[in-house]
Amino acid sequence: FELLIKNYYKNKAIKKLKKIDPYVICITGSFGKTTVKKMLESIYKDKYLVCATPKSYNTPMGISKCILNDMSGLCELFICEAGATKCGDILEITKMVNPDFGIITSVGYQHMSSFKSIDNVLKTKWELAKGLRNDGKLLLNYKNEYLNGLSTKDIGMCVGVNSYYGKYYACNIVYDDLWTEFDIYSFGKFVIHIRTKLLGDHNIDNIVMCYAVKRMLDDRFYVSDDNFKKSVLKFCNVENRLSLRCEEYSGVSFRYLDDSFNSNVNGFLSATKVIKRFNGVKCIITPGIVDGGIYSKYIADMIVSSLDGFDDVVFVNNKELKQLKSLLVKKNIKFKCVSSFLEGLNYLKKKYLG
């Protein structure tokens, strides 16, 4: 009965989408898809009628709900996030929305208990490439080791970015506590200078991907480079994704990075790099990485290697912490385990702020 209800709303959404017929951008990846979606929505919404799936709505039912409840009959551009926990999930979504443009942000160690292998993750993400229209366009993040160098001749255009042999990549990166600045180059030539409040190397990659989308769509949805730069200046972190927060405690101000949404290796490593650039006491509160499947030890090794130099490491207990604890003991890294993020934050406040 539940399946009948789901199929009813899914088919209703498909009919509405076909009738309105917007240009469809579909974004998938083990991580980065929500952030890239929000960035693209911000870039295009001032000039075009845009509908984007909200929050992390990335299942057939979530997408159907967005189409049925949020999409205007005048919608020109639909930006759709596609999630997956098993092979075939992305293919189902492509059959629903019939995308014109696909973006694969990453292939990583997410939902490994159901995917079983990284090859299955890649095959599932690649379902987006196979599900594009014949004249479709595909953007790949070559920074990701599993996407690096991949291409296809079965569609109208395939572009790779974030490597020196990709079409666009970042150079001359400068950070401080509040800003990131960098240049985007293409095949050795300067293209545009970018300034953003977003922190972390992964956000640089996300902005480069968005610029590539802009250039690939300029023939249909034109946005000037100046307007692109203005949009990037306004970008804010998606909630709980490497957000810099300021609070007062006992008359003392302190800053912390809220990256509590992320449970992926790249996001974790990027967050630790950002924290290490700050002056003062450096602490981290984390649940570690969940659902690593057979790759749990490999993931734990990467996490522990990034924790050198922290004054305090606080873990929010989960079932996969056993592996991390043994590695931390071997590397002589001090840590504390707590039952919640709030408990960990209060522990650090009392210890360092009195």
Side-chain angles (χ1 to χ4, degrees):
F1 182 71
E2 185 180 347
L3 184 61
L4 285 173
I5 293 173
K6 285 182 177 179
N7 283 336
Y8 169 76
Y9 285 110
K10 179 179 163 184
N11 290 329
K12 192 175 179 183
I14 290 170
K15 287 178 183 177
K16 181 177 178 181
L17 188 64
K18 282 182 178 177
K19 184 178 179 181
I20 298 170
D21 195 26
Y23 190 90
V24 179
I25 299 175
C26 190
I27 308 168
T28 193
S30 299
F31 39 87
K33 52 189 178 290
T34 303
T35 301
V36 170
K37 176 189 68 182
K38 295 298 290 183
M39 287 177 172
L40 289 173
E41 182 185 14
S42 177
I43 290 162
Y44 286 106
K45 68 181 182 180
D46 289 340
K47 192 171 180 181
Y48 302 98
L49 291 172
V50 177
C51 178
T53 49
K55 300 180 181 178
S56 294
Y57 280 35
N58 56 29
T59 63
M61 279 306 293
I63 295 164
S64 297
K65 185 177 180 181
C66 173
I67 293 168
L68 293 173
N69 296 341
D70 303 337
M71 184 176 286
S72 156
L74 299 174
C75 177
E76 297 173 276
L77 182 60
F78 180 41
I79 306 173
C80 169
E81 179 180 337
T85 57
K86 63 184 184 302
C87 293
D89 283 354
I90 302 299
L91 185 61
E92 180 184 358
I93 291 171
T94 62
K95 287 179 178 178
M96 257 187 83
V97 302
N98 197 18
D100 301 280
F101 196 120
I103 303 169
I104 306 179
T105 61
S106 55
V107 171
Y109 303 96
Q110 301 293 96
H111 307 295
M112 295 312 297
S113 59
S114 55
F115 277 120
K116 306 300 183 186
S117 74
I118 200 71
D119 283 345
N120 285 337
V121 179
L122 177 57
K123 286 175 185 174
T124 304
K125 304 309 177 190
W126 199 252
E127 289 169 6
L128 176 55
K130 292 182 176 179
L132 293 173
R133 301 186 190 203
N134 291 335
D135 60 347
K137 298 178 180 181
L138 178 66
L139 178 69
L140 301 174
N141 179 17
Y142 278 2
K143 177 71 73 69
N144 183 268
E145 60 181 310
Y146 299 106
L147 295 173
N148 190 11
L150 287 182
S151 188
T152 176
K153 296 178 180 177
D154 297 332
I155 56 172
M157 181 188 298
C158 181
V159 171
V161 297
N162 289 321
S163 79
Y164 288 117
Y165 57 85
K167 189 160 186 180
Y168 300 103
Y169 51 90
C171 289
N172 308 321
I173 301 167
V174 178
Y175 307 98
D176 62 27
D177 289 2
L178 299 174
W179 295 94
T180 303
E181 295 193 44
F182 60 95
D183 298 325
I184 295 179
Y185 273 66
S186 180
F187 302 119
K189 294 183 178 180
F190 170 82
V191 178
I192 188 173
H193 179 76
I194 298 294
R195 190 168 191 253
T196 178
K197 290 178 282 188
L198 300 183
L199 304 172
D201 294 345
H202 63 302
N203 275 320
I204 295 174
D205 296 341
N206 291 338
I207 291 169
V208 172
M209 281 190 277
C210 288
Y211 185 74
V213 172
K214 185 204 89 70
R215 292 293 293 263
M216 292 167 75
L217 288 183
D218 268 349
D219 60 335
R220 182 159 183 166
F221 298 99
Y222 180 75
V223 172
S224 69
D225 279 4
D226 281 345
N227 284 336
F228 179 86
K229 291 167 73 170
K230 288 174 185 175
S231 294
V232 172
L233 269 175
K234 295 176 186 175
F235 283 170
C236 295
N237 275 297
V238 178
E239 189 176 5
N240 308 127
R241 290 168 172 85
L242 209 56
S243 306
L244 184 62
R245 302 188 183 279
C246 299
E247 289 189 12
E248 292 279 333
Y249 183 81
S250 298
V252 179
S253 64
F254 72 98
R255 297 178 298 174
Y256 67 93
L257 286 163
D258 179 359
D259 199 38
S260 53
F261 180 89
N262 272 321
S263 59
N264 70 78
V265 179
N266 284 49
F268 188 98
L269 298 180
S270 183
T272 58
K273 284 180 184 177
V274 170
I275 295 168
K276 286 177 181 179
R277 292 202 301 264
F278 290 141
N279 295 319
V281 175
K282 300 174 183 68
C283 308
I284 190 166
I285 307 171
T286 177
I289 306 297
V290 297
D291 199 12
I294 62 171
Y295 297 91
S296 291
K297 186 180 183 305
Y298 174 64
I299 293 168
D301 282 333
M302 284 193 285
I303 288 174
V304 171
S305 67
S306 73
L307 295 177
D308 283 330
F310 279 89
D311 298 284
D312 245 308
V313 178
V314 179
F315 285 105
V316 179
N317 275 312
N318 73 57
K319 62 183 180 181
E320 297 195 22
L321 277 181
K322 189 176 179 182
Q323 195 113 54
L324 278 170
K325 288 177 183 176
S326 62
L327 287 170
L328 288 162
V329 170
K330 282 181 185 177
K331 295 212 170 188
N332 236 2
I333 297 175
K334 294 179 181 179
F335 64 93
K336 181 178 177 65
C337 292
V338 296
S339 59
S340 69
F341 172 78
L342 188 60
E343 183 187 343
L345 189 60
N346 287 333
Y347 160 76
L348 293 176
K349 285 178 179 178
K350 289 175 183 176
K351 182 173 180 178
Y352 292 102
L353 301 176

